[in-house]
mmCIF file of all heavy atoms in Angstrom:
data_model
loop_
_atom_site.group_PDB
_atom_site.id
_atom_site.type_symbol
_atom_site.label_atom_id
_atom_site.label_comp_id
_atom_site.label_asym_id
_atom_site.label_seq_id
_atom_site.Cartn_x
_atom_site.Cartn_y
_atom_site.Cartn_z
ATOM 1 N N ALA A 135 19.265 19.771 -31.337
ATOM 2 C CA ALA A 135 19.459 20.498 -32.592
ATOM 3 C C ALA A 135 20.876 20.453 -33.160
ATOM 4 O O ALA A 135 21.080 20.698 -34.347
ATOM 5 C CB ALA A 135 19.032 21.953 -32.411
ATOM 6 N N CYS A 136 21.866 20.142 -32.365
ATOM 7 C CA CYS A 136 23.244 20.332 -32.817
ATOM 8 C C CYS A 136 24.085 19.055 -32.829
ATOM 9 O O CYS A 136 25.048 18.941 -33.604
ATOM 10 C CB CYS A 136 23.954 21.367 -31.954
ATOM 11 S SG CYS A 136 22.937 22.790 -31.499
ATOM 12 N N CYS A 139 25.527 16.896 -35.995
ATOM 13 C CA CYS A 139 26.745 17.283 -36.710
ATOM 14 C C CYS A 139 27.918 17.569 -35.777
ATOM 15 O O CYS A 139 29.034 17.138 -36.024
ATOM 16 C CB CYS A 139 26.480 18.520 -37.569
ATOM 17 S SG CYS A 139 25.285 18.195 -38.872
ATOM 18 N N HIS A 140 27.649 18.313 -34.707
ATOM 19 C CA HIS A 140 28.769 18.749 -33.867
ATOM 20 C C HIS A 140 29.188 17.711 -32.828
ATOM 21 O O HIS A 140 30.222 17.883 -32.187
ATOM 22 C CB HIS A 140 28.439 20.085 -33.196
ATOM 23 C CG HIS A 140 28.381 21.214 -34.181
ATOM 24 N ND1 HIS A 140 29.508 21.836 -34.661
ATOM 25 C CD2 HIS A 140 27.338 21.778 -34.822
ATOM 26 C CE1 HIS A 140 29.158 22.764 -35.536
ATOM 27 N NE2 HIS A 140 27.841 22.744 -35.656
ATOM 28 N N MET A 158 35.075 20.194 -39.017
ATOM 29 C CA MET A 158 34.304 21.072 -38.151
ATOM 30 C C MET A 158 35.094 21.427 -36.915
ATOM 31 O O MET A 158 35.861 20.622 -36.399
ATOM 32 C CB MET A 158 33.003 20.382 -37.769
ATOM 33 C CG MET A 158 31.796 21.148 -38.257
ATOM 34 S SD MET A 158 30.309 20.288 -37.821
ATOM 35 C CE MET A 158 30.329 18.989 -39.023
ATOM 36 N N VAL A 159 34.883 22.631 -36.473
ATOM 37 C CA VAL A 159 35.567 23.123 -35.280
ATOM 38 C C VAL A 159 35.270 22.249 -34.058
ATOM 39 O O VAL A 159 34.163 21.751 -33.904
ATOM 40 C CB VAL A 159 35.088 24.568 -35.019
ATOM 41 C CG1 VAL A 159 35.277 24.969 -33.578
ATOM 42 C CG2 VAL A 159 35.797 25.529 -35.933
ATOM 43 N N PHE A 161 34.509 22.501 -30.492
ATOM 44 C CA PHE A 161 34.103 23.543 -29.539
ATOM 45 C C PHE A 161 34.832 23.413 -28.200
ATOM 46 O O PHE A 161 34.879 24.358 -27.423
ATOM 47 C CB PHE A 161 32.594 23.475 -29.251
ATOM 48 C CG PHE A 161 31.722 23.844 -30.417
ATOM 49 C CD1 PHE A 161 30.509 23.193 -30.619
ATOM 50 C CD2 PHE A 161 32.085 24.842 -31.319
ATOM 51 C CE1 PHE A 161 29.681 23.535 -31.678
ATOM 52 C CE2 PHE A 161 31.265 25.189 -32.385
ATOM 53 C CZ PHE A 161 30.058 24.530 -32.569
ATOM 54 N N LEU A 175 29.031 34.877 -33.060
ATOM 55 C CA LEU A 175 28.505 33.576 -32.659
ATOM 56 C C LEU A 175 26.979 33.524 -32.815
ATOM 57 O O LEU A 175 26.425 32.576 -33.387
ATOM 58 C CB LEU A 175 28.910 33.288 -31.198
ATOM 59 C CG LEU A 175 28.400 31.986 -30.578
ATOM 60 C CD1 LEU A 175 28.845 30.777 -31.394
ATOM 61 C CD2 LEU A 175 28.886 31.845 -29.139
ATOM 62 N N ILE A 178 26.075 33.439 -36.546
ATOM 63 C CA ILE A 178 26.278 32.137 -37.189
ATOM 64 C C ILE A 178 25.114 31.210 -36.878
ATOM 65 O O ILE A 178 24.576 30.533 -37.757
ATOM 66 C CB ILE A 178 27.599 31.473 -36.711
ATOM 67 C CG1 ILE A 178 28.815 32.255 -37.203
ATOM 68 C CG2 ILE A 178 27.682 30.026 -37.203
ATOM 69 C CD1 ILE A 178 30.143 31.791 -36.598
ATOM 70 N N ILE A 179 24.708 31.181 -35.606
ATOM 71 C CA ILE A 179 23.619 30.280 -35.230
ATOM 72 C C ILE A 179 22.303 30.755 -35.855
ATOM 73 O O ILE A 179 21.531 29.962 -36.376
ATOM 74 C CB ILE A 179 23.489 30.179 -33.690
ATOM 75 C CG1 ILE A 179 24.803 29.641 -33.097
ATOM 76 C CG2 ILE A 179 22.330 29.270 -33.299
ATOM 77 C CD1 ILE A 179 24.858 29.645 -31.585
ATOM 78 N N ARG A 183 25.683 28.856 -41.825
ATOM 79 C CA ARG A 183 26.971 29.145 -42.447
ATOM 80 C C ARG A 183 27.268 28.076 -43.497
ATOM 81 O O ARG A 183 27.001 26.900 -43.294
ATOM 82 C CB ARG A 183 28.059 29.152 -41.378
ATOM 83 C CG ARG A 183 29.421 29.393 -41.945
ATOM 84 C CD ARG A 183 30.443 29.576 -40.871
ATOM 85 N NE ARG A 183 30.589 30.977 -40.523
ATOM 86 C CZ ARG A 183 31.650 31.451 -39.873
ATOM 87 N NH1 ARG A 183 32.602 30.656 -39.483
ATOM 88 N NH2 ARG A 183 31.741 32.729 -39.603
ATOM 89 N N PHE A 186 26.059 23.683 -45.128
ATOM 90 C CA PHE A 186 25.530 22.642 -44.246
ATOM 91 C C PHE A 186 25.073 23.094 -42.864
ATOM 92 O O PHE A 186 24.289 22.425 -42.224
ATOM 93 C CB PHE A 186 26.549 21.514 -44.096
ATOM 94 C CG PHE A 186 26.830 20.831 -45.393
ATOM 95 C CD1 PHE A 186 28.007 21.071 -46.087
ATOM 96 C CD2 PHE A 186 25.892 19.970 -45.951
ATOM 97 C CE1 PHE A 186 28.261 20.457 -47.302
ATOM 98 C CE2 PHE A 186 26.129 19.353 -47.162
ATOM 99 C CZ PHE A 186 27.317 19.594 -47.849
ATOM 100 N N MET A 187 25.605 24.195 -42.387
ATOM 101 C CA MET A 187 25.187 24.669 -41.067
ATOM 102 C C MET A 187 23.849 25.385 -41.227
ATOM 103 O O MET A 187 23.768 26.415 -41.862
ATOM 104 C CB MET A 187 26.257 25.607 -40.511
ATOM 105 C CG MET A 187 25.832 26.444 -39.308
ATOM 106 S SD MET A 187 25.599 25.466 -37.818
ATOM 107 C CE MET A 187 24.855 26.722 -36.765
ATOM 108 N N PRO A 188 22.767 24.782 -40.674
ATOM 109 C CA PRO A 188 21.441 25.367 -40.888
ATOM 110 C C PRO A 188 21.285 26.718 -40.177
ATOM 111 O O PRO A 188 21.953 26.970 -39.183
ATOM 112 C CB PRO A 188 20.495 24.341 -40.231
ATOM 113 C CG PRO A 188 21.319 23.136 -39.918
ATOM 114 C CD PRO A 188 22.736 23.587 -39.824
ATOM 115 N N TRP A 190 19.105 28.869 -37.774
ATOM 116 C CA TRP A 190 18.153 28.458 -36.734
ATOM 117 C C TRP A 190 17.089 29.501 -36.462
ATOM 118 O O TRP A 190 16.115 29.243 -35.752
ATOM 119 C CB TRP A 190 18.902 28.084 -35.452
ATOM 120 C CG TRP A 190 19.692 26.846 -35.677
ATOM 121 C CD1 TRP A 190 21.020 26.771 -36.009
ATOM 122 C CD2 TRP A 190 19.201 25.498 -35.691
ATOM 123 N NE1 TRP A 190 21.377 25.461 -36.206
ATOM 124 C CE2 TRP A 190 20.283 24.659 -36.016
ATOM 125 C CE3 TRP A 190 17.955 24.925 -35.457
ATOM 126 C CZ2 TRP A 190 20.160 23.281 -36.116
ATOM 127 C CZ3 TRP A 190 17.822 23.549 -35.553
ATOM 128 C CH2 TRP A 190 18.913 22.748 -35.874
HETATM 129 C C1 LIG B 2 23.490 19.474 -40.444
HETATM 130 C C2 LIG B 2 24.714 19.719 -39.712
HETATM 131 C C3 LIG B 2 24.774 20.803 -38.658
HETATM 132 C C4 LIG B 2 23.897 21.047 -37.624
HETATM 133 C C5 LIG B 2 22.632 20.287 -37.286
HETATM 134 C C6 LIG B 2 24.441 22.135 -36.878
HETATM 135 N N1 LIG B 2 25.624 22.572 -37.440
HETATM 136 FE FE1 LIG B 2 26.799 24.090 -36.800
HETATM 137 N N2 LIG B 2 28.058 23.796 -38.376
HETATM 138 C C7 LIG B 2 27.923 22.803 -39.320
HETATM 139 C C8 LIG B 2 29.007 22.910 -40.291
HETATM 140 C C9 LIG B 2 29.233 21.990 -41.496
HETATM 141 C C10 LIG B 2 29.782 24.018 -39.891
HETATM 142 C C11 LIG B 2 30.993 24.585 -40.584
HETATM 143 C C12 LIG B 2 30.475 25.581 -41.587
HETATM 144 C C13 LIG B 2 31.544 26.191 -42.477
HETATM 145 O O1 LIG B 2 32.467 26.766 -41.907
HETATM 146 O O2 LIG B 2 31.395 26.056 -43.673
HETATM 147 C C14 LIG B 2 29.149 24.544 -38.689
HETATM 148 C C15 LIG B 2 29.608 25.646 -37.995
HETATM 149 C C16 LIG B 2 29.104 26.081 -36.793
HETATM 150 C C17 LIG B 2 29.650 27.164 -36.016
HETATM 151 C C18 LIG B 2 30.862 27.995 -36.395
HETATM 152 C C19 LIG B 2 32.110 27.362 -35.855
HETATM 153 C C20 LIG B 2 33.309 27.990 -36.510
HETATM 154 O O3 LIG B 2 33.710 27.461 -37.550
HETATM 155 O O4 LIG B 2 33.809 28.989 -36.013
HETATM 156 C C21 LIG B 2 28.886 27.280 -34.903
HETATM 157 C C22 LIG B 2 29.088 28.266 -33.754
HETATM 158 C C23 LIG B 2 27.846 26.286 -34.986
HETATM 159 N N3 LIG B 2 28.008 25.574 -36.147
HETATM 160 C C24 LIG B 2 26.889 26.091 -34.027
HETATM 161 C C25 LIG B 2 25.821 25.207 -34.176
HETATM 162 C C26 LIG B 2 24.745 25.097 -33.210
HETATM 163 C C27 LIG B 2 24.640 25.887 -31.912
HETATM 164 C C28 LIG B 2 23.893 24.153 -33.710
HETATM 165 C C29 LIG B 2 22.576 23.717 -33.109
HETATM 166 C C30 LIG B 2 21.602 24.756 -32.797
HETATM 167 C C31 LIG B 2 24.440 23.675 -34.962
HETATM 168 N N4 LIG B 2 25.604 24.339 -35.199
HETATM 169 C C32 LIG B 2 23.865 22.690 -35.744
HETATM 170 C C33 LIG B 2 26.945 21.839 -39.385
HETATM 171 C C34 LIG B 2 25.849 21.765 -38.528
#
Side-chain angles (χ1 to χ4, degrees):
C136 320
C139 296
H140 291 280
M158 242 179 284
V159 157
F161 292 145
L175 178 57
I178 293 171
I179 300 173
R183 178 172 268 198
F186 297 104
M187 166 70 189
W190 292 96

